[in-house]
Amino acid sequence: METSEIIKKVRKIEIKTRGLSQNIFAGEYHSAFKGRGMAFSEVREYQYGDDVRDIDWNVTARFHRPYVKVFEEERELTVMLLIDVSGSLDFGTTRQMKRDLATEIAATLAFSAIQNNDKIGVIFFSDQIEKYIPPKKGRKHILYIIREMLDFHPQSKSTDVGQAVEFMTRVLKRRSTAFVLSDFFVRQGSNEEQETFVHTLTMAARKHDVVAIQVYDQRAKMLPDIGLMKVRDAETGHEMFIDTSSKKLRHAHTRYFMERQQFLQQAFTRSNIDWTSVATNEDYVKALLMLFKKR
């Protein structure tokens, strides 16, 4: 993609997503993500009803009367965007590619975060860590992130969500809010592999506030009846012809999708992770608002 084309696309995404974050998501985001906890603010004289555990004994000894510590909510967050850049995101049959949808959602979250004075960092991942952008504040930083999302070329086309989550828990020492944007095209594998995936998510959710946002295309859920069709696995490159006029094949395709969704739902529930799912032909605004409101 040429530089002028990238700049034009970045500007277009900024105008749309910045407007959404200011007009729609600002209040919802603020109330949905509460900050790391309570931070020390000041001391004041003890009043009847105060918790004795909050007494500051050093100040009390200095002034010979009881003083208590006053705490306030620590609003500033570190927000991490874990963005899947594997080959399967380069697919879309309706309005846009899955990658385009993920980029818009990530940009909206990023602008919502800087409205709240939060830091934003990014981990681009495939089945390896492709790039890590440490958390920083400001519009310039976000525009750099959007530009990277639009023109990033991963080394690998495969996916490993667990590895990205593990990397985040290693590099971030303080509690953060992490949005994982992926199609979660997780091959279910053996029971042991499934349990490893759930365990990785659980460990991350104990340390951070993890939110999963799945982007998918409607053709992953339901195949059209259009006869012989050539399909290609974007991650392995394997190509084959399938006969979509076969009702049995179409049902098997839908059943496979539903089984995968059921596995993901169970994995997120067991890991105590909030999640939502958005198709490329759907409005992600509604999905994000519902996600924020249920928190």
Side-chain angles (χ1 to χ4, degrees), residues 11 13-15 17-23 25-30 33 75-81 105-122 134-146 177 179 292:
R11 184 69 184 136
I13 289 172
E14 182 192 10
I15 290 167
T17 58
R18 198 176 191 181
L20 285 172
S21 64
Q22 287 173 342
N23 302 324
F25 294 115
E28 300 295 342
Y29 174 94
H30 183 90
F33 303 100
R75 278 299 319 160
E76 184 182 296
L77 283 168
T78 294
V79 176
M80 285 303 299
L81 302 173
I105 293 172
T108 302
L109 292 170
F111 280 116
S112 297
I114 62 164
Q115 289 272 100
N116 207 51
N117 201 34
D118 297 337
K119 292 179 181 175
I120 309 287
V122 177
K136 281 173 66 177
K137 292 183 185 181
R139 173 178 172 269
K140 191 176 176 183
H141 180 61
I142 290 177
L143 295 181
Y144 165 63
I145 289 170
I146 296 171
T177 296
F179 294 97
F292 289 177

Side-chain angles (χ1 to χ4, degrees), residues 45-58:
E45 280 198 61
Y46 177 87
Q47 297 172 1
Y48 177 75
D50 284 337
D51 192 332
V52 293
R53 290 174 296 184
D54 291 336
I55 291 176
D56 187 319
W57 294 107
N58 290 332

Side-chain angles (χ1 to χ4, degrees), residues 260-276:
R260 204 156 51 84
Q261 291 301 99
Q262 188 178 16
F263 164 70
L264 285 174
Q265 184 170 3
Q266 290 171 351
F268 293 138
T269 301
R270 286 175 59 192
S271 310
N272 198 27
I273 288 174
D274 290 329
W275 79 299
T276 191

Side-chain angles (χ1 to χ4, degrees), residues 205-223:
R206 284 178 184 170
K207 187 177 178 184
H208 303 285
D209 182 7
V210 183
V211 180
I213 300 174
Q214 181 192 36
V215 294
Y216 72 96
D217 189 89
Q218 60 180 347
R219 293 292 178 251
K221 187 176 183 178
M222 198 173 295
L223 282 174

Side-chain angles (χ1 to χ4, degrees), residues 38-152:
M38 305 305 286
F40 172 71
S41 176
E42 59 182 348
V43 293
R44 61 164 170 76
E45 280 198 61
Y46 177 87
Q47 297 172 1
Y48 177 75
D50 284 337
D51 192 332
V52 293
R53 290 174 296 184
D54 291 336
I55 291 176
D56 187 319
W57 294 107
N58 290 332
V59 178
T60 296
R62 198 180 311 142
F63 292 100
H64 306 292
R65 53 183 184 274
Y67 276 78
V68 293
K69 295 175 182 175
V70 178
F71 296 85
E72 62 180 22
E73 191 176 67
E74 194 172 9
R75 278 299 319 160
E76 184 182 296
L77 283 168
T78 294
V79 176
M80 285 303 299
L81 302 173
L82 280 67
I83 301 172
D84 186 348
V85 291
S86 64
S88 63
L89 272 285
D90 291 321
F91 180 77
T93 59
T94 50
R95 293 194 323 211
Q96 58 186 341
M97 296 279 196
K98 287 187 280 184
R99 189 180 306 285
D100 297 331
L101 177 60
T103 299
E104 278 200 26
I105 293 172
T108 302
L109 292 170
F111 280 116
S112 297
I114 62 164
Q115 289 272 100
N116 207 51
N117 201 34
D118 297 337
K119 292 179 181 175
I120 309 287
V122 177
I123 297 168
F124 291 119
F125 71 92
S126 53
D127 61 347
Q128 61 190 48
I129 305 306
E130 296 280 353
K131 185 165 188 172
Y132 170 53
I133 302 174
K136 281 173 66 177
K137 292 183 185 181
R139 173 178 172 269
K140 191 176 176 183
H141 180 61
I142 290 177
L143 295 181
Y144 165 63
I145 289 170
I146 296 171
R147 194 166 64 246
E148 285 293 296
M149 284 192 281
L150 287 171
D151 200 41
F152 191 81

Side-chain angles (χ1 to χ4, degrees), residues 4 7 27 37 42 80-81 92 106 138 180 196 212 221 245 251 265 281:
S4 59
I7 292 169
E42 59 182 348
M80 285 303 299
L81 302 173
V180 186
T196 300
K221 187 176 183 178
S245 62
H251 285 172
Q265 184 170 3
N281 62 327

